[in-house]
Amino acid sequence: MKRFFRAEPGYLMAYNLTNKKTMQVAGKNLNLLNQWLDNGYTNKCIDLLQEHDFISLNLPVQEKAQLKQLILECQNVKAPFRAMKAPEIMNIELTTRCPLRCPQCYCDLNQGQDIEKEVALKYLKEAARLKIPFINLSGGETLVYPHLNELLEFISQHGLNSAIAISGWGFDKARLEELKKAGVDEIYVSLNGSTPEINALSRDGYEMAINSLHLLQADGQVDYYINWVARNDNVQDFPNLVSLAQKYGTKGIVILESKPDASYVLQATLSKDNFLMLAHYLKNHNQVTMPIQVEPCFSPLRAYINNYYLFNRNIGFNKGCGASRNAMAVDVEGNLIPCRHLLYPESYESIEDYWWHSPVLNRLRQFEDYRKEPCQSCYLNNNCISCRAVADKVEKNLFSGNNYCCVREIAQ
């Protein structure tokens, strides 16, 4: 069972990586948890924690003592401004090599490099110590990396959650068995259209992706998803993609915001009409039939679809760009960067040192203080932290730029 607690300023974070649930325990619930540890009498907080399998009622004495200590730490632990005390998500760029030729990508199988295994393991060891629960391994093409299985085994053995993104290249039944044996938790298949023609507008390898979904469905032992990039040239096809995802039994679809290409050009950005069409579809979609998640950095869309008359559900560290707040990355050369799309490499002895002392991260956390119009007066600005990679590469302004799909202008 992959589950643990982590002390944050004034609250505990509970993680159950087996059922992919998280919960914040704060205020009254923190007191109720402490009371249960003292007297053993259950209460509403304990019932909720038990319901989602964060704790068991027969918790060993040693684990109870450790939990008591974490509750005490909540009163004293510090965190950087507008951030968690340590990252919650870490991405490691394993390779810049890929055999495919996707229209908006820069990767090449024969011209690129792999991260040194020892460097990747160094950061994974620190991630285990800091209790960074979510580890994303990416490329290039992730399956090209020669030490992938070894890294997955380390992540699994240390009770963390591993996720890999694949195109489908090099993926067959034997490779799937290797990944399962190594302990992979989640596989994300990149697919931008329900047909070869639509997918080819932005991605290569349609048949490879479909074959991967078929193999994963037949196996049925690994959680697998579709990564879909929202673009003006594929958004009308999204309902068909949902049907395809249902056909192949995927656990869900993740909607990604289109990022700038190698030339810093933002291709096929959503028009106002297509943005609203997608938002309307998501607002009315039945999540039971097919879970659909909008990635945090696609914050304008998340803020828009989660807005209600008196409140907005797009809150917390996942309400928008998480770079410097709950997420960071390691590039292929072993440098530390805010995210895989924000190429501001810095060298620090540890993740902890980087998290606290990086001038880039500290400035990113001040984004809200430097907003310009139209974001500054937008009615959703408290629930939106737009993608800094878009601002940086397209608007040439990492810190105070605004996103191309301003919610206020779209909603008018």
Side-chain angles (χ1 to χ4, degrees):
M1 176 67 69
K2 294 182 178 182
R3 65 184 184 189
F4 57 84
F5 289 84
R6 196 173 90 171
E8 293 287 337
Y11 66 94
L12 282 180
M13 282 301 303
Y15 298 100
N16 185 329
L17 304 182
T18 301
N19 62 20
K20 298 175 177 59
K21 291 182 181 291
T22 63
M23 178 178 167
Q24 187 180 109
V25 185
K28 183 179 179 180
N29 282 335
L30 201 59
N31 291 331
L32 290 173
L33 174 59
N34 202 28
Q35 289 173 21
W36 174 72
L37 291 170
D38 286 335
N39 58 37
Y41 297 120
T42 59
N43 50 57
K44 290 183 179 180
C45 174
I46 301 305
D47 290 341
L48 186 60
L49 287 169
Q50 187 185 21
E51 177 186 348
H52 297 291
D53 210 7
F54 291 114
I55 62 170
S56 59
L57 293 181
N58 58 346
L59 203 64
V61 173
Q62 183 179 1
E63 291 187 30
K64 284 188 174 183
Q66 292 171 347
L67 195 46
K68 286 280 289 184
Q69 182 61 37
L70 284 176
I71 293 174
L72 288 175
E73 287 182 25
C74 290
Q75 314 307 317
N76 301 309
V77 70
K78 305 295 183 183
F81 180 58
R82 290 180 179 145
M84 303 184 81
K85 75 164 187 181
E88 193 177 43
I89 303 166
M90 182 173 74
N91 184 89
I92 300 180
E93 183 184 34
L94 300 181
T95 180
T96 57
R97 299 184 297 125
C98 181
L100 302 188
R101 290 292 180 272
C102 299
Q104 70 172 32
C105 192
Y106 59 87
C107 294
D108 188 300
L109 179 62
N110 301 310
Q111 297 181 18
Q113 66 182 105
D114 298 336
I115 193 171
E116 294 181 11
K117 181 182 70 173
E118 292 73 18
V119 173
L121 285 172
K122 168 193 170 183
Y123 288 119
L124 288 177
K125 289 174 183 176
E126 190 174 2
R129 180 178 65 81
L130 294 174
K131 295 184 178 180
I132 300 175
F134 303 109
I135 309 295
N136 300 327
L137 303 177
S138 67
E141 170 52 60
T142 312
L143 297 185
V144 168
Y145 186 65
H147 310 294
L148 175 60
N149 291 349
E150 189 172 342
L151 299 188
L152 289 171
E153 288 172 2
F154 183 94
I155 295 168
S156 179
Q157 289 167 2
H158 287 78
L160 307 179
N161 185 87
S162 63
I164 64 171
I166 66 172
S167 66
W169 176 90
F171 190 77
D172 55 21
K173 189 172 182 180
R175 193 73 173 98
L176 175 56
E177 289 300 322
E178 289 180 4
L179 294 171
K180 285 163 49 181
K181 184 178 179 181
V184 68
D185 290 296
E186 299 172 348
I187 296 177
Y188 292 79
V189 180
S190 298
L191 187 65
N192 281 357
S194 67
T195 68
E197 294 75 20
I198 295 174
N199 187 71
L201 296 172
S202 55
R203 287 202 58 83
D204 193 7
Y206 176 85
E207 295 299 336
M208 294 178 184
I210 294 298
N211 178 63
S212 297
L213 294 174
H214 176 75
L215 288 172
L216 287 162
Q217 182 182 34
D219 180 75
Q221 296 182 38
V222 179
D223 288 344
Y224 59 102
Y225 306 79
I226 289 176
N227 275 345
W228 178 82
V229 179
R231 295 165 50 96
N232 223 37
D233 55 20
N234 70 356
V235 68
Q236 299 285 339
D237 177 60
F238 187 66
N240 297 326
L241 188 95
V242 173
S243 297
L244 183 147
Q246 292 171 328
K247 172 184 174 182
Y248 286 101
T250 66
K251 293 289 184 180
I253 299 171
V254 180
I255 297 178
L256 309 179
E257 182 174 20
S258 181
K259 304 296 191 299
D261 62 18
S263 301
Y264 289 2
V265 174
L266 200 57
Q267 299 181 10
T269 58
L270 291 181
S271 66
K272 172 182 176 179
D273 288 344
N274 280 335
F275 179 100
L276 293 175
M277 183 211 70
L278 179 60
H280 178 76
Y281 180 91
L282 294 174
K283 276 180 171 285
N284 292 279
H285 174 72
N286 184 351
Q287 289 280 3
V288 175
T289 61
M290 174 54 58
I292 300 175
Q293 175 186 348
V294 180
E295 69 168 345
C297 60
F298 203 167
S299 193
L301 181 60
R302 285 174 62 101
Y304 188 80
I305 65 175
N306 283 297
N307 190 53
Y308 295 86
Y309 181 65
L310 294 175
F311 67 99
N312 193 307
R313 291 190 302 173
N314 198 43
I315 59 175
F317 290 108
N318 284 320
K319 72 179 181 181
C321 175
S324 79
R325 298 164 191 255
N326 73 331
M328 50 81 67
V330 181
D331 72 15
V332 73
E333 294 181 343
N335 298 306
L336 301 178
I337 53 178
C339 92
R340 59 176 301 197
H341 300 287
L342 282 174
L343 308 181
Y344 287 81
E346 296 180 279
S347 179
Y348 284 85
E349 285 299 314
S350 67
I351 294 171
E352 203 167 15
D353 198 19
Y354 173 66
W355 194 247
W356 277 92
H357 299 117
S358 161
V360 175
L361 296 188
N362 288 332
R363 187 69 189 276
L364 279 169
R365 293 165 186 147
Q366 301 174 48
F367 164 66
E368 294 96 319
D369 302 327
Y370 295 93
R371 277 189 170 123
K372 296 179 180 179
E373 293 296 351
C375 287
Q376 186 176 8
S377 59
C378 177
Y379 73 103
L380 291 176
N381 68 1
N382 289 329
N383 301 95
C384 179
I385 303 175
S386 55
C387 176
R388 295 299 84 212
V390 172
D392 181 42
K393 293 184 178 180
V394 178
E395 300 172 6
K396 306 299 186 293
N397 195 328
L398 171 63
F399 302 113
S400 60
N402 297 308
N403 210 326
Y404 72 94
C405 51
C406 170
V407 176
R408 190 181 73 174
E409 291 185 348
I410 288 171
Q412 287 177 345

